[in-house]
Amino acid sequence: MLIRLGCVASALFVAAAALAADSAGPSAQSKEITKEWSQWGGDGDRNNTPVGEGIPTDWNVGDFDFRTGEWDPSSAENVKWAARLGSQTYGNVVVADGKAFVGTNNSGGWLERYPSDVDLGCLIAFDAASGEFLWQHSSEKLKTGRVHDWPLQGICCAPLVEGKKLWFVTSRGEVRCLDTEGFRDGENDGPVADERHTGDKEADVIWVFDMMRELGVSQHNMCSCSVTAIGDVLLVNTSNGLDESHINLPSPDAPSFIALDKNTGELLWSDKSPGENILHGQWSSPAVGQIEMPDGSEQAQAIFGGGDGWVYSFDPAGDGSGGSKLLWKFDANPKDSVWVLGGRGTRNNIIATPVIYKNRVYVAVGQDPEHGEGIGHLWCIDPTGEGDVSPELAFNAEDRNQPIPHKRIQAVVPEEGDFANVNPASKAVWHYSTQDQDGDGEIDEYLETMHRACGTVAIKDDVLYIADFSGIFHCLDAMTGKVHWTYDMFAAAWGSPLIVDGKVYIGDEDGDVAIFRHSSDPKVAMKDDGGEFAPHYGEVNMGNSVYSTPIVSDNVLYISNRTHLFAIAQGAQAEAEQ
C-alpha cells in the first residue's frame, strides 16, 4: 500500500493560527457509552464518532454461496448475527429503540406478497439484539422509470428515529413518518390508517408528504436524503434535479430544501436557491446545530449541500411567514471550474453531508460515482458570516464593482469579460485540493490530491479523516487543513469513516474495511508491513462491496456489505443467517 507523510503545508490556510485554540463545540464527546445511533452521524452535527469500548479489530464474516448468496456462518468469528438484505445496499444503518434499521432493495424477499424478483425500495427493521427480521416498509417503483427511480437502488438513505417514531425519504420522493413497532404492537397509528396490509411484518405509516405531488419535485434517478431535525422541525433535501437528457431541468421552481413539522408532516418553509443552476441531482443530507456567533449569542443553523455546488445555511425557524431565511451561502468550487456532462469537467456538486465541529462546517464536493474520478475540494467554513461568504466573487468588465449572478456551467468565463476577485467577506478557513506534503515541489496526482468524494468527514481530537472516490484516505488537522498523512486503499470509497475506541474504520468497494489507530502520526496510525505502511490493525474483508458507513451502538459494530448486515462484537458467534 502507498502512503504519503505530511511535512509541508501548501493548502490555503486562512487565519488558521487564530482558530487552532481549543474550544468546546457541539461535537464534544462524553465518555458515556453510546447506546443508540439514531440517525446518520448520530446527531445533527453528523460527526460519526460514537463512544464505545472493546470494539473488535479482527473478525471473519464467514462464507457466501456464490450461486445463491446464502451466508455460511461456520467459519465466522466475532459475528453476533448477520441478516440478509437486498442485492444492493447503500443506506447507512441506524440503531434505536432496540432495532436496527437499514435501507436496501427487495432482492432479499422478506415479504411473501413481494417475491425477491419484484423491485422495491425497502426500509427493513431488525431486532438489534438477535438480528430477527421484524418488519419492512415497501416502496413500489415509480411508473416513470429510471429517470426518477433507478432499478435496484432501493432506499439509499438512513432514517431518523426519536422514541417510537421514525422519519425517512422513500425512493418515490416521499417523506414518511412510521411507527418503529410496525404493526407488531397491534395498533394502527395515524392519521394514515387506511393501510391495506397490516400484518406483523408490515410497516405502520403515520403520515406521508409526497414531494413530487405537493411541490412538483422531479428527482434525478432517485430520491435520497438522510433527514435530521431540530425541535419539531424536520429538514429535507428534495433531490430535485435534471431529466434523462442530463440537460433539461423539468422543475426549476421546485424547492431543493424544505422544512416540515415532524409531528404532522405540514410544510413549514421551502427554498429553491439552487434554481436553474442544479448540475445533475441533489443527494446531500442536511446538518443542523447551534452556532456561537461573534457577539456570544447562539444561532441555530440548518446547513444544506446544493446540487449547484454551493453550501447554504438557513435559520431552521424560517422567516416566520412560510418562507426560508438564508443566513449565508458558499460556492465550494473555483470560479473558473467548468461543468461538463459525464463528469469530464472540473465543477462538482455536493453529495457529502456537511459536518459541524467546534463551530466550523466541513464539506467536500463530488459527483455521481458513475461519473468517475476527478479533482475535488475539501473546505472548512466559519459559519458566523452573512450573505455570500465564498472565497471569491464573480464580476464582469462592464461593471467591475457589481458581482454578477452565478452561472451554472462556469461561474467566470474570461472570454465574456468575466473575472474573479477575493471576497472580503469570505468565511473560508482552509481549503484542501492539492498539497505538497513531502516538499519536493511537485504534486502527486493521487497521494497529494483531494479527489471527488461521496463520503463525509469524521473528526475527533481535531484530527479529520475523509476517504475520496479515488480510494485515497486523508488525515488532516481539522483546525488548519495541514495534511498529516494519506493512504491509498486501491479501491473506490463511497462511505465515510467511523472513529471509535481509539480506532478509525473505513470500507471500500473491494469489501475491505481498513482499521487504523486514531492518530495524526502516520507511524502510530499505521504499521510497517514488509517495508510498506499498512493500517495498524490491518484490513478485514466483508465478502463483497462496502458502500455504506460502519457505525457503533452499545459496543456493537454494525457494517453492511451489498447483501448482508453484520453485527460484530468481541467473542460473539452467530449460528445462522437471520
Side-chain angles (χ1 to χ4, degrees), residues 260-541:
L260 303 176
D261 184 313
K262 73 181 184 185
N263 299 305
T264 65
E266 175 191 359
L267 180 67
L268 300 177
W269 57 262
S270 65
D271 184 272
K272 59 177 183 179
S273 289
E276 296 183 349
N277 293 318
I278 295 170
L279 300 169
H280 188 216
Q282 296 192 104
W283 305 298
S284 177
S285 300
V288 65
Q290 295 288 346
I291 301 299
E292 184 177 346
M293 304 302 286
D295 63 2
S297 64
E298 286 193 342
Q299 170 66 60
Q301 296 195 20
I303 301 169
F304 291 85
D308 55 353
W310 288 65
V311 184
Y312 295 90
S313 176
F314 300 93
D315 188 326
D319 66 0
S321 302
S324 62
K325 181 180 178 181
L326 178 70
L327 300 175
W328 55 264
K329 61 181 181 178
F330 183 98
D331 188 355
N333 288 276
K335 293 298 184 185
D336 60 354
S337 60
V338 183
W339 174 259
V340 180
L341 290 178
R344 293 167 294 177
T346 53
R347 186 167 186 85
N348 296 296
N349 45 26
I350 298 173
I351 298 176
T353 303
V355 168
I356 302 171
Y357 174 85
K358 288 191 175 180
N359 229 51
R360 296 291 176 261
V361 173
Y362 299 81
V363 68
V365 300
Q367 293 192 30
D368 183 332
E370 288 192 350
H371 291 181
E373 301 177 26
I375 189 69
H377 304 276
L378 173 62
W379 294 94
C380 174
I381 306 167
D382 175 357
T384 63
E386 297 180 3
D388 189 338
V389 297
S390 306
E392 296 179 313
L393 298 175
F395 297 85
N396 185 271
E398 291 187 359
D399 186 344
R400 292 180 169 272
N401 298 313
Q402 180 62 40
I404 60 176
H406 180 66
K407 300 176 183 179
R408 174 178 177 266
I409 300 298
Q410 186 175 7
V412 166
V413 183
E415 295 79 5
E416 298 177 359
D418 298 341
F419 61 94
N421 275 343
V422 173
N423 181 5
S426 173
K427 288 296 184 177
V429 178
W430 55 257
H431 168 223
Y432 172 43
S433 184
T434 60
Q435 193 170 127
D436 182 8
Q437 299 166 35
D438 57 10
D440 65 358
E442 298 180 356
I443 296 295
D444 185 305
E445 64 176 318
Y446 283 101
L447 289 171
E448 295 181 323
T449 300
M450 180 69 201
H451 307 90
R452 293 171 181 162
C454 303
T456 295
V457 306
I459 312 171
K460 189 174 180 62
D461 305 317
D462 296 346
V463 181
L464 178 153
Y465 305 91
I466 186 172
D468 67 31
F469 190 67
S470 295
I472 306 301
F473 193 54
H474 306 259
C475 176
L476 292 82
D477 185 309
M479 297 293 101
T480 68
K482 178 183 183 296
V483 177
H484 294 306
W485 51 266
T486 56
Y487 174 80
D488 193 345
M489 299 189 291
F490 291 106
W494 296 49
S496 307
L498 161 70
I499 309 174
V500 66
D501 194 26
K503 311 169 189 106
V504 185
Y505 299 73
I506 181 68
D508 66 31
E509 195 168 32
D510 282 351
D512 293 322
V513 175
I515 310 169
F516 303 84
R517 274 183 178 165
H518 166 50
S519 178
S520 60
D521 185 343
K523 295 180 180 179
V524 175
M526 290 174 279
K527 63 183 178 182
D528 188 335
D529 185 13
E532 294 185 347
F533 279 95
H536 180 82
Y537 297 104
E539 296 178 343
V540 179
N541 190 269

Side-chain angles (χ1 to χ4, degrees), residues 563-576:
T563 59
H564 287 76
L565 171 61
F566 294 88
I568 300 164
Q570 195 67 43
Q573 184 62 53
E575 296 182 357

Side-chain angles (χ1 to χ4, degrees), residues 186-244:
E187 299 177 359
N188 189 346
D189 296 275
V192 173
D194 59 354
E195 293 98 328
R196 292 168 51 199
H197 302 279
T198 58
D200 285 352
K201 295 182 179 180
E202 302 285 349
D204 181 5
V205 179
I206 298 175
W207 59 254
V208 181
F209 184 86
D210 188 329
M211 295 183 287
M212 297 186 74
R213 186 181 67 244
E214 300 291 338
L215 303 173
V217 167
S218 178
Q219 66 257 23
H220 180 78
N221 293 164
M222 70 177 67
C223 192
S224 180
C225 169
S226 298
V227 301
T228 190
I230 181 168
D232 289 335
V233 180
L234 186 71
L235 301 164
V236 187
N237 184 324
T238 68
S239 299
N240 193 45
L242 304 184
D243 64 13
E244 65 271 28

